[in-house]
Amino acid sequence: MFFKVSIGLALGAWFLQVISASIFALFVLLPLHPLPDNAFPKLDEKNGLPYSWLHHQFEVTNDLQENNWFVRNILGNFNFHVAHHLFPNYSYLYYNEITEEIEKFAKEHNLAYKRFPIFTALGKHVDLLKQNANNAYFILEE
């Protein structure tokens, strides 16, 4: 309408954009949060977590093992996702150094620091979907 292109070209471009954004979201969001290795804590009677906020971040987030140009520049250093959750106000440019300290801290304090290759993480996400499908009745009951 504004650019004097055919409706078919406009719909094709929109469809390509949706597919591209979906693939981007797949690689950014799925391997970093919902995996079978992560905790899914239930709230206590006061609607609180059973452990501290810091402990919670280690239990529910993962890092990607990849540390290459594509992940750092295109995905905005999301391979350092635990650092993103612990230090959201810091620039992602510092996440590489921060992650080294996070790993040391996790070992010293016996916290679950998890780092997976991207395709392993995507496979684990598929496993979680299968697990949830097999337990759909119990999930819907809650």
Side-chain angles (χ1 to χ4, degrees):
M1 209 165 109
F2 298 108
F3 300 110
K4 297 182 175 40
V5 297
S6 70
I7 216 74
L9 180 62
L11 287 174
W14 174 80
F15 183 72
L16 183 63
Q17 180 269 328
V18 168
I19 294 298
S20 300
S22 297
I23 290 170
F24 179 78
L26 172 79
F27 281 97
V28 170
L29 298 175
L30 294 182
L32 303 172
H33 288 118
L35 300 180
D37 303 63
N38 293 49
F40 296 91
K42 294 190 185 230
L43 299 177
D44 61 20
E45 61 278 347
K46 294 180 184 176
N47 287 331
L49 291 170
Y51 37 67
S52 71
W53 172 86
L54 176 70
H55 189 161
H56 180 70
Q57 298 310 314
F58 280 98
E59 292 291 334
V60 301
T61 56
N62 313 299
D63 278 345
L64 292 181
Q65 208 160 7
E66 285 77 19
N67 188 7
N68 57 42
W69 182 91
F70 178 78
V71 173
R72 284 192 313 272
N73 295 291
I74 303 300
L75 301 183
N77 263 348
F78 258 51
N79 50 325
F80 304 122
H81 201 68
V82 175
H84 162 74
H85 274 252
L86 294 176
F87 303 100
N89 295 330
Y90 282 50
S91 170
Y92 71 89
L93 299 172
Y94 300 110
Y95 286 171
N96 192 18
E97 292 83 12
I98 291 172
T99 297
E100 292 172 10
E101 295 301 319
I102 289 171
E103 281 186 272
K104 290 177 195 172
F105 180 84
K107 279 184 184 174
E108 290 172 8
H109 294 87
N110 202 25
L111 294 168
Y113 176 75
K114 299 173 291 294
R115 177 179 268 178
F116 303 107
I118 192 161
F119 290 109
T120 300
L122 288 170
K124 286 177 175 278
H125 184 75
V126 169
D127 293 343
L128 179 65
L129 292 175
K130 289 177 185 175
Q131 182 182 17
N132 287 349
N134 291 334
N135 297 320
Y137 175 77
F138 300 109
I139 292 170
L140 295 173
E141 268 307 295
E142 291 180 6

